[in-house]
Amino acid sequence: MKALDISFYLNKSVTEIASSLLGKILHTEIDGRITRARIVETEAYNGIFDKACHAYNGRRTNRNEHMYHKGGIAYIYVCYGIHHLFNVVTNEENIPDAVLIRAGEPLEGIPIMLERTNKVKLDYTLTRGPGNLSKALGITKNLTGNSLLNGNIQILDDDYRVSTDDIIITKRIGVDYAEEAIHFPYRFFIKNNPYVSGRKR
DNA sequence: CTGACGATTCACT
DNA sequence: GTGAATCGTCAGC
């Protein structure tokens, strides 16, 4: 079990990375408490050419600054004033590609996740959906810009492999404002996994 | 300074 | 299926 190497994040194809992240482990250590979840759903955001991406057309603000950094760090922002969404920054410096982690399957630290989400018992809503996942793992926007190679947030590989036949590709969720980009096949998830979000959409 | 708007979630019909 | 909650961020004045 080791953290993914920097070369994984520098791949120029953000969709390839989004697909490869399925089955990897999202690990956090917040206030000395470790929680881990296996990634089961991702979405790619393809930089300046993607209308659904915060960096569309070269848009660069305080909020999305970290998307322009070299891959291998976190980009975390607040959505609807409530939810902290976690993204993996990819590609070289000044190319603002990122992968949104939309759902995970809890592996370790489940009591801690329940406490953070004010839940009593484990069910599929614990880490289903990007807002819920971040809440369960204790991810907040003050961790944006952190390295994923070491430190509080890491992505680990335990040699678990997802069969190509079990990877489903669809259009993304919640980006209905993005005109032609609505239909891009940038969402990846593991077939039949109960933690995958929004299956009715 | 002000108004508008979400890469969502949950309760309710 | 529909609608509200809720506030950081950003563009515009």
Side-chain angles (χ1 to χ4, degrees):
Chain A
M1 179 100 76
K2 63 189 281 288
L4 292 177
D5 186 79
I6 183 67
S7 61
F8 179 91
Y9 300 100
L10 298 184
N11 185 330
K12 293 185 181 356
S13 168
V14 66
T15 51
E16 203 169 288
I17 293 176
S19 176
S20 303
L21 280 170
L22 294 176
K24 299 296 187 291
I25 297 173
L26 178 57
H27 158 102
T28 64
E29 180 173 344
I30 312 291
D31 296 329
R33 303 197 296 174
I34 292 175
T35 48
R36 288 176 173 169
R38 192 176 303 285
I39 296 168
V40 301
E41 181 183 1
T42 63
E43 280 182 4
Y45 284 83
N46 193 16
I48 63 174
F49 306 108
D50 179 355
K51 198 166 277 191
C53 179
H54 289 163
Y56 174 66
N57 204 21
R59 177 185 167 90
R60 185 164 181 161
T61 66
N62 281 336
R63 179 176 70 158
N64 72 9
E65 172 63 25
H66 288 111
M67 292 190 82
Y68 286 85
H69 288 215
K70 182 178 172 184
I73 64 171
Y75 166 47
I76 303 160
Y77 74 96
V78 178
C79 183
Y80 293 98
I82 312 169
H83 308 291
H84 297 251
L85 307 201
F86 170 71
N87 298 254
V88 174
V89 175
T90 74
N91 218 322
E92 298 168 24
E93 183 168 2
N94 290 321
I95 303 181
D97 292 353
V99 177
L100 171 68
I101 307 301
R102 289 193 56 90
E105 179 175 326
L107 294 179
E108 194 173 320
I110 291 172
I112 299 169
M113 297 188 202
L114 291 172
E115 180 189 322
R116 286 180 181 140
T117 54
N118 298 314
K119 291 178 190 291
V120 178
K121 68 180 188 56
L122 176 63
D123 65 27
Y124 296 135
T125 68
L126 183 63
T127 51
R128 169 194 279 166
N132 291 334
L133 177 68
S134 292
K135 193 172 184 188
L137 293 185
I139 295 173
T140 58
K141 77 181 184 72
N142 60 18
L143 296 170
T144 197
N146 276 31
S147 171
L148 299 174
L149 307 182
N150 48 60
N152 296 88
I153 312 179
Q154 299 181 30
I155 297 180
L156 309 176
D157 184 0
D158 66 347
D159 294 323
Y160 179 90
R161 289 293 176 267
V162 181
S163 159
T164 310
D165 294 339
D166 289 333
I167 297 179
I168 309 290
I169 306 175
T170 70
K171 60 185 175 183
R172 292 172 292 188
I173 288 178
V175 295
D176 292 346
Y177 58 88
E179 301 179 26
E180 78 279 358
I182 292 169
H183 303 293
F184 293 173
Y186 285 176
R187 174 169 175 248
F188 301 83
F189 62 89
I190 297 178
K191 183 162 53 174
N192 296 329
N193 188 291
Y195 288 92
V196 170
S197 70
R199 278 182 291 176
K200 288 174 183 148
R201 282 189 259 186

